[in-house]
Amino acid sequence: MPISPRVHTIVSRYMLIADTCFVLNENFEDFVNHFRGELGHNPLRIPKKVWFELERLAQGPANKSQQQAGGNTIAKRAEQAQRLIVSLDKEGLATVCESPLDDRVRTADQVISSLVEQFLTLQPMVVLTCDRKLKDWIHQKRSNGCFGQSKSLFVIRFSPHSGLPVLWRSQATHSQQPTAVTQATTARGIRNGSVQTANGGHGYYHTAKQSPGNRIAQHVGIANGQAERPSCRPTKTFPAKTRPFDVATKITSSSQVPVPGLQSLQAGESVYDSHHKPVVLEKQLGSGGEGVVFQTDRPGIVCKIYHCDRITPFAEEKIRLMVSRPIKHSAICWPAEIISDKSGQFRGFLMPTAAGQSLAETLFLPAIWTENQPNWTRRESVALAIAILDVVAYLHRFNILIGDINPANILITPAGRVQFVDCDSYQIEGFPCPVGSVDFVAPEIQGQNFGQFLRTPEHELFAVATLLFMIMLPGKAPYSHQGGSNGADNIRAMHFPYNLNARKEGPGSHQGSNEVVQLRQYHNVPQGAWRYCWSHLSPRIKADFHQCFHADNRHFPRVTLGQWRRSFQSYQLLLADEQKVFVGPQAQLGFDLCILPQNKRYCRDANGNVLPHRIPRDGKTDMQRAIAQVIRKLTQGETPAPATSAVSTSTSNGSTNSAKPSNGAKKSRSTAKSPNTATASKKTTSRAASTASTATAQPGSGNTVQTGSASAATPSATTPICDWDEWYEHPLVWPVVVVGKFAAEVLGAGLVGTFALGFVGMLVGFFFGSATTGALGGAYVGASLGAIAGVIGAICSVKETLPSIFPAAGLGLATGGGLGWLLSGGPLMACAGGCLGMLVGLAILRLIIDQCDAENYLKTVWGDDTLFF
Amino acid sequence: MSSRNTNPDFLAERVTQLFDVPTSRLAIALCLDVSWSMNGKPIEELNRGIEYFLSTLREHPSTRHCTEVGMFSFADSVEVVLDFQGLAGVKSTPSLHSKYEQTNMGDGVNLALDRLEQRVGEYRSTGVDFYKPWLVVMSDGMPTTDTHIAASQRARELEGGNQLKVLTIGIGGDADTDALASFSNRNPVMCLHDLKFAELFDMLSRSAIKTSQSRPSEDVKMEMPLTHDWFSFVPRK
């Protein structure tokens, strides 16, 4: 019986990954000899973990009873296999490929399954194995989620009857699957003995039932390879032959004026490719702002024809440059050829067809997605994220920036791959990407005209992070939060509501205060499933998102593609480990899977099943409690029928988050302490002014949260000295502040302040009698008052009056000292005393500024050129 | 009519919806004239159009969970025909009846805006994203009270603040296009000929579908009508 031609085709074209049991099979050598020609072009990939397992097997079993049971045969075969692999490696027919998971997982199967998940979306592959469990897993993968109609993942094994390599189909198609255990399946028992024995023999992929009596090589310890080890060549997935584009620093200066006198092209007309061969535009497939996409008479090729007003020398040059460097990647619809009309005028380009639905229509509408893809889990989301990261990294290797990363431009094909479309908008060299979608635009370039500058990789990393976030929390933008406004303002303010290490921030972790902790940590995370979705992410991924999105990390570089890739890969590994993954009750949105955290939030019931949450005393779930809370807030805590919705949100925000006022509330409160209301009582002032400011503001843009967040973007608000809002609550503090502000205001009036302080100094001098003490005392009192008023004034943002405090305080000192002296001594001494007093005052002021670390803050209030002494 | 819905069961139900399906929401307020002049064929056609509208939105996968329709009628008094809630909760399409003399357009719009604000407040406090809500005002006659001046001011302010999309539709030739035009600074009044409500609601549902397929931060234009014989735009003065 010959080997089927199908197997021939698959072996010659697909990426081959061999499992331990396949290599151990007695037919392996025949297989290699038969496919020598094919393997020359397409070497067999052997995971390093497989090599380790062979090494371990070659050591032979330590247990005597098992030795008798045939362990020696296994050891011998493992040694043979090792020798064969070494020789294959020398001939270039096989490579041992390393994986970052090698040191972290127990079995080769885990490495193989992670390789499958990793590369499935990128290239067709075949797994060579005789292990039924692994096969079942792969077939499940094939029929699962977005890999639904995947034609590109196969399993090849040796037929138990003929010993020839055959395709191993799933049970569904071949119910007559022979159940005989081939000799090679003896290797199924291979695992790290120490760990597995401790677990009672329940391994990652097999149980005792499925390998009866064959667990020969089970208990083997960790062995050091004695045999010659082949060199580990890393497998190269992307041949990078095309020369990368240059990195330009300014925009190409070609004319952006449309070519005049063009007629728009209709379906049925012919256009010409670069070899002047006609291409017929058959059917209009879609139309956008830039142009129209037509089906052509060439199979698998579509044609984009630009609108007449978009045809400029600039656009033509860009496409010509793109066509000159073919990017051949199955996931990228790169322009293939220039298209011109009869007169030779540039009109558009040809590109490969893209099939599939965009992310925006699929995963990002989770309510629909979970209906269509009930088997989609977080594992698939992670695999998708990795596939997308790989494509972006591939483009970056050529110095191509996508620019307008958005869910409408990334398709999931029916075969379960990703496909990047709309490539002609990518930024190459001096040609910027002229568009952008609000959610994906970095805060620093938010609202700018994208055609007027070149994006940097740092901008791109923000978009990538946003996309990854929206894959992991399907369709939820990172900056949308309770009480937030939509779009650009949220991003500019960088108010990222999700908390990194919320548990540590809470006042205590004992049971009684649990509610409080909950309130503080999620005070405006979107309600519903999103918060669980976030909290179930791995800490590493959370930290990466924080690095990209949190306002505190505004000045730090964003997470790089490589870092993302590693984080997601380690997450994938965590999710692959059945022991650590909890399958939650919320089987929607792909966040049913979560990693069991260390903080014992998850506990087990009597049968050892993992329970999602500690059962609360009142028997309500977190979700029920949150719903009740929202309803309570909405029905009771609100003023009836507010004039604009902005007011309603600001009041509701303020009332619920009394524990820690939100940014917006804080800001409105501090503006309330403006000088003109300083004499009034603090509490009424702030209340009145906040309502006043809301009421007078524009109804749309004058949302208090919005104004608060907008000003948070300026540096002055990002460096608060300390939490003054809490201080104000103290009954001893706020009267002082009010008086201080009053003093600052009076001082700000200039002359009045001068004389007021001078008068104090004079009185002190007068009453102390002695000339020296009088002058010093007067100066000291004046300086202290001036300094304290200055600092308090600065902190209270009494910007208008602040600059005059220094001269006022100084003059106050001088006149105070002087007058004090004049009344009791001579004019010379008065001058000396005044100067001395001034120096003392300045020193005290300096001391206070140092103590409060207020220099930067004062600079932001007064401007960078403020001189300090 | 109370300006806010205070039914605790109803509120609990619709807040729970936001928790269960936290997808972005598009609230559509239909503010409908049911004065005496609408009696007969007009109101029948309107009812049919609304039924078509709701069933289209319910059937399309992208609008099923996303759109929430509120219906408010105005005549002598104003009435909440349907408060904002997920379409899954709307078991039967409410039908409108006309029997009154007056056309209290201002109170109708005010009620719609109050209820809309209440619902938007719920979106905000649960952190559910939402598209710019729509206010669709339909009338076939003159407002008989002065309240529409204040209400139109309010609608224009919301529109100016980018918080509302206002569409005004005059039914037949007797509609007071000046009063309708005062509700929006951006969109002209659309005059409906021959009671072609089907075409109108077809256009609205296509726009809703298009909106629901965008991101909430995007600004989506209304779909244009497929045929042009059933309406005319009233030029702005």
Side-chain angles (χ1 to χ4, degrees):
Chain A
M1 199 170 83
I3 297 176
S4 85
R6 188 84 192 278
V7 173
H8 263 285
T9 331
I10 288 173
V11 170
S12 59
R13 293 197 191 146
Y14 285 26
M15 179 170 159
L16 305 165
I17 299 176
D19 188 19
T20 319
C21 53
F22 191 85
V23 177
L24 275 178
N25 194 293
E26 55 193 354
N27 299 312
F28 179 60
E29 199 162 352
D30 295 341
F31 172 83
V32 171
N33 288 333
H34 187 272
F35 288 107
R36 211 159 260 278
E38 281 86 351
L39 294 180
H41 305 293
N42 180 23
L44 186 65
R45 284 172 172 86
I46 297 169
K48 203 170 179 187
K49 196 78 192 172
V50 169
W51 177 262
F52 286 147
E53 286 193 350
L54 289 178
E55 267 180 1
R56 229 181 280 144
L57 285 173
Q59 293 283 306
N63 189 320
K64 275 191 182 167
S65 66
Q66 292 197 346
Q67 219 159 20
Q68 287 158 1
N72 271 336
T73 357
I74 294 285
K76 216 177 284 168
R77 187 156 295 142
E79 238 180 281
Q80 280 175 4
Q82 276 182 310
R83 249 179 270 125
L84 183 60
I85 291 174
V86 172
S87 71
L88 286 176
D89 184 61
K90 279 182 186 153
E91 292 176 62
L93 302 183
T95 51
V96 173
C97 46
E98 285 183 48
S99 151
L101 316 184
D102 281 339
D103 306 328
R104 287 187 269 158
V105 292
R106 288 198 290 272
T107 64
D109 296 46
Q110 273 165 304
V111 175
I112 291 173
S113 45
S114 93
L115 283 174
V116 168
E117 281 189 336
Q118 191 178 325
F119 287 109
L120 183 64
T121 48
L122 298 171
Q123 62 187 97
M125 56 200 300
V126 56
V127 177
L128 309 170
T129 185
C130 300
D131 183 341
R132 184 177 300 277
K133 263 282 176 178
L134 184 61
K135 184 241 3 176
D136 286 345
W137 180 85
I138 287 168
H139 284 304
Q140 188 201 341
K141 195 90 251 185
R142 258 173 61 130
S143 58
N144 198 2
C146 87
F147 308 112
Q149 292 108 49
S150 175
K151 297 273 190 296
S152 52
L153 179 63
F154 289 103
V155 184
I156 286 182
R157 65 155 174 175
F158 292 116
S159 157
H161 309 297
S162 58
L164 292 174
V166 289
L167 277 183
W168 203 356
R169 295 175 201 282
S170 62
Q171 296 276 331
T173 49
H174 278 235
S175 53
Q176 295 295 314
Q177 193 63 41
T179 47
V181 180
T182 59
Q183 193 166 10
T185 49
T186 45
R188 280 204 269 164
I190 308 160
R191 22 199 153 142
N192 186 330
S194 54
V195 179
Q196 289 301 317
T197 319
N199 278 344
H202 291 282
Y204 168 62
Y205 62 86
H206 33 207
T207 59
K209 256 186 252 164
Q210 274 154 330
S211 51
N214 277 326
R215 290 154 56 203
I216 301 157
Q218 179 183 0
H219 51 83
V220 222
I222 293 157
N224 290 319
Q226 309 250 316
E228 192 189 347
R229 195 179 280 189
S231 62
C232 295
R233 283 186 220 145
T235 52
K236 219 180 207 176
T237 27
F238 307 115
K241 282 172 196 155
T242 308
R243 191 161 61 86
F245 291 96
D246 300 330
V247 178
T249 50
K250 58 175 191 235
I251 295 178
T252 309
S253 56
S254 306
S255 153
Q256 300 205 31
V257 180
V259 176
L262 292 176
Q263 294 285 318
S264 63
L265 296 170
Q266 302 298 329
E269 288 186 54
S270 288
V271 286
Y272 300 89
D273 68 6
S274 52
H275 305 291
H276 305 291
K277 288 192 182 130
V279 179
V280 181
L281 304 176
E282 286 188 335
K283 199 174 79 185
Q284 182 173 332
L285 295 175
S287 139
E290 293 250 294
V292 185
V293 176
F294 288 99
Q295 197 178 347
T296 65
D297 54 345
R298 301 185 185 181
I301 300 286
V302 293
C303 179
K304 179 164 178 177
I305 300 290
Y306 285 105
H307 291 317
C308 295
D309 57 338
R310 298 284 172 150
I311 298 176
T312 61
F314 188 81
E316 181 176 356
E317 262 180 58
K318 180 175 181 180
I319 300 299
R320 281 195 193 280
L321 178 63
M322 292 180 106
V323 170
S324 72
R325 312 261 172 93
I327 303 292
K328 289 202 170 123
H329 189 291
S330 58
I332 302 169
C333 287
W334 194 253
E337 224 169 314
I338 295 275
I339 281 295
S340 16
D341 59 11
K342 267 176 276 176
S343 59
Q345 170 61 43
F346 161 81
R347 297 308 287 265
F349 58 89
L350 294 180
M351 60 181 171
T353 326
Q357 280 186 302
S358 71
L359 274 182
E361 302 163 291
T362 53
L363 183 61
F364 285 11
L365 299 174
I368 307 160
W369 184 242
T370 45
E371 276 174 30
N372 297 340
Q373 304 281 350
N375 292 327
W376 183 276
T377 67
R378 193 161 260 206
R379 290 194 183 113
E380 278 75 27
S381 293
V382 170
L384 178 72
I386 290 178
I388 288 176
L389 277 172
D390 284 342
V391 180
V392 178
Y394 179 77
L395 286 167
H396 281 201
R397 218 170 295 167
F398 294 99
N399 291 329
I400 302 166
L401 294 182
I402 298 178
D404 182 23
I405 290 188
N406 85 55
N409 290 347
I410 298 172
L411 311 186
I412 300 182
T413 67
R417 319 244 180 122
V418 290
Q419 187 98 43
F420 282 49
V421 295
D422 212 1
C423 297
D424 55 319
S425 72
Y426 289 1
Q427 174 178 314
I428 48 163
E429 298 193 355
F431 298 95
C433 168
V435 279
S437 332
V438 176
D439 283 331
F440 295 84
V441 172
E444 62 267 24
I445 53 167
Q446 192 63 250
Q448 294 190 25
N449 185 345
F450 302 115
Q452 301 298 313
F453 67 100
L454 291 170
R455 286 183 170 103
T456 65
E458 195 67 8
H459 300 151
E460 183 102 328
L461 289 177
F462 181 86
V464 169
T466 308
L467 187 70
L468 293 173
F469 188 89
M470 290 173 72
I471 288 172
M472 296 319 295
L473 274 71
K476 193 75 180 167
Y479 288 117
S480 70
H481 55 87
Q482 279 183 53
S485 52
N486 279 331
D489 294 311
N490 281 342
I491 296 181
R492 270 195 216 108
M494 292 189 81
H495 186 99
F496 186 58
Y498 302 88
N499 233 322
L500 186 55
N501 42 3
R503 234 138 253 290
K504 285 176 192 158
E505 281 179 15
S509 55
H510 57 91
Q511 288 240 313
S513 65
N514 200 25
E515 198 84 4
V516 184
V517 180
Q518 285 284 328
L519 201 71
R520 284 178 78 104
Q521 62 185 323
Y522 293 123
H523 68 273
N524 51 9
V525 177
Q527 296 273 14
W530 301 116
R531 53 182 62 189
Y532 303 105
C533 208
W534 165 262
S535 75
H536 293 175
L537 286 172
S538 77
R540 184 166 168 184
I541 302 254
K542 283 190 213 174
D544 284 348
F545 281 131
H546 246 247
Q547 188 180 336
C548 289
F549 295 131
H550 203 272
D552 289 353
N553 302 326
R554 187 185 286 273
H555 302 295
F556 288 104
R558 298 196 171 104
V559 178
T560 60
L561 294 178
Q563 200 178 332
W564 276 124
R565 183 75 160 73
R566 287 190 291 278
S567 300
F568 270 91
Q569 216 161 354
S570 74
Y571 189 35
Q572 192 172 40
L573 183 68
L574 279 172
L575 288 176
D577 191 340
E578 302 282 356
Q579 294 282 319
K580 283 191 181 162
V581 166
F582 160 67
V583 179
Q586 298 168 353
Q588 55 165 345
L589 297 176
F591 49 90
D592 50 343
L593 297 180
C594 58
I595 304 303
L596 291 179
Q598 286 79 39
N599 57 22
K600 293 173 192 149
R601 184 185 164 86
Y602 295 83
C603 51
R604 288 166 194 274
D605 66 7
N607 302 325
N609 298 324
V610 182
L611 296 175
H613 304 288
R614 205 168 32 223
I615 296 166
R617 283 177 202 161
D618 54 359
K620 280 185 184 168
T621 63
D622 286 0
M623 192 84 97
Q624 286 166 333
R625 214 177 291 125
I627 292 173
Q629 192 186 332
V630 169
I631 292 167
R632 210 180 311 134
K633 188 168 79 187
L634 288 170
T635 48
Q636 296 163 11
E638 240 172 58
T639 50
T644 65
S645 54
V647 175
S648 76
T649 44
S650 79
T651 49
S652 65
N653 244 357
S655 62
T656 46
N657 302 326
S658 52
K660 191 173 184 180
S662 73
N663 211 359
K666 198 183 276 186
K667 196 68 199 170
S668 69
R669 196 187 284 190
S670 62
T671 47
K673 294 184 192 74
S674 54
N676 49 2
T677 50
T679 43
S681 152
K682 174 246 153 197
K683 291 207 168 173
T684 48
T685 314
S686 69
R687 201 54 64 74
S690 79
T691 30
S693 71
T694 326
T696 51
Q698 285 272 318
S701 55
N703 179 325
T704 38
V705 179
Q706 236 167 313
T707 35
S709 32
S711 49
T714 63
S716 65
T718 57
T719 52
I721 298 164
C722 58
D723 197 350
W724 282 94
D725 280 357
E726 277 180 26
W727 270 75
Y728 283 143
E729 306 295 338
H730 199 279
L732 288 179
V733 173
W734 70 260
V736 175
V737 173
V738 172
V739 172
K741 258 190 315 198
F742 180 69
E745 199 180 354
V746 173
L747 272 174
L751 216 58
V752 183
T754 310
F755 283 111
L757 277 185
F759 188 69
V760 175
M762 183 186 78
L763 285 181
V764 174
F766 192 74
F767 283 114
F768 276 78
S770 151
T772 321
T773 47
L776 281 179
Y780 181 76
V781 170
S784 313
L785 279 180
I788 291 167
V791 172
I792 290 174
I795 288 159
C796 302
S797 317
V798 194
K799 294 183 192 172
E800 303 78 24
T801 57
L802 271 175
S804 56
I805 284 175
F806 280 108
L811 276 173
L813 302 179
T815 45
L819 282 175
W821 200 281
L822 268 180
L823 286 175
S824 53
L828 198 68
M829 289 298 279
C831 284
C835 291
L836 190 66
M838 202 144 62
L839 284 177
V840 172
L842 291 178
I844 293 169
L845 186 57
R846 175 77 234 183
L847 195 71
I848 295 176
I849 288 175
D850 281 347
Q851 285 296 312
C852 294
D853 197 17
E855 190 166 312
N856 286 333
Y857 182 71
L858 292 176
K859 271 187 182 171
T860 59
V861 178
W862 290 329
D864 279 342
D865 48 353
T866 309
L867 280 178
F868 287 90
F869 30 85
Chain B
M1 199 71 209
S2 157
S3 65
R4 297 176 71 79
N5 197 329
T6 49
N7 178 354
D9 294 340
F10 176 77
L11 288 179
E13 168 60 29
R14 76 174 186 182
V15 172
T16 313
Q17 283 172 7
L18 296 182
F19 279 78
D20 288 347
V21 188
T23 192
S24 309
R25 294 298 203 282
L26 169 64
I28 303 176
L30 299 178
C31 206
L32 309 164
D33 187 350
V34 291
S35 58
W36 184 249
S37 51
M38 288 287 285
N39 198 23
K41 201 169 175 233
I43 204 97
E44 280 170 27
E45 289 292 323
L46 178 58
N47 277 330
R48 211 167 296 149
I50 288 168
E51 195 167 350
Y52 168 79
F53 184 54
L54 292 184
S55 65
T56 315
L57 295 184
R58 203 180 290 133
E59 274 155 31
H60 197 279
S62 67
T63 48
R64 191 186 308 148
H65 300 283
C66 158
T67 43
E68 298 191 347
V69 179
M71 283 164 60
F72 309 90
S73 65
F74 55 89
D76 279 17
S77 61
V78 293
E79 210 175 304
V80 180
V81 183
L82 177 70
D83 205 349
F84 295 99
Q85 56 183 307
L87 291 175
V90 187
K91 295 286 182 281
S92 59
T93 311
S95 62
L96 302 163
H97 308 282
S98 64
K99 45 196 174 225
Y100 305 111
E101 293 293 324
Q102 308 285 317
T103 307
N104 198 346
M105 193 189 288
D107 285 354
V109 170
N110 263 329
L111 176 67
L113 290 180
D114 286 342
R115 289 294 169 93
L116 188 63
E117 260 159 25
Q118 189 185 3
R119 186 60 176 155
V120 165
E122 287 166 19
Y123 296 155
R124 283 179 194 265
S125 51
T126 42
V128 165
D129 291 335
F130 54 97
Y131 302 94
K132 199 195 286 180
W134 297 3
L135 171 69
V136 185
V137 186
M138 295 189 197
S139 171
D140 71 335
M142 302 256 285
T144 51
T145 54
D146 281 346
T147 48
H148 74 276
I149 297 167
S152 65
Q153 166 86 12
R154 187 175 163 197
R156 278 203 310 276
E157 273 174 11
L158 286 169
E159 187 189 46
N162 232 350
Q163 296 189 337
L164 189 68
K165 186 176 268 186
V166 184
L167 293 172
T168 44
I169 287 132
I171 303 166
D174 296 336
D176 181 356
T177 51
D178 289 347
L180 285 172
S182 69
F183 284 98
S184 171
N185 279 336
R186 295 192 185 160
N187 298 325
V189 179
M190 204 176 191
C191 259
L192 190 69
H193 306 325
D194 307 333
L195 303 175
K196 293 272 179 87
F197 282 107
E199 278 85 351
L200 173 70
F201 280 109
D202 179 57
M203 185 192 84
L204 290 179
S205 55
R206 277 186 294 116
S207 305
I209 290 167
K210 189 174 162 197
T211 308
S212 67
Q213 287 167 342
S214 68
R215 301 272 328 135
S217 51
E218 288 172 40
D219 195 21
V220 181
K221 291 211 168 59
M222 296 296 283
E223 288 275 299
M224 280 321 283
L226 294 176
T227 51
H228 295 264
D229 54 344
W230 53 271
F231 73 97
S232 58
F233 283 120
V234 178
R236 196 156 274 289
K237 278 167 194 153

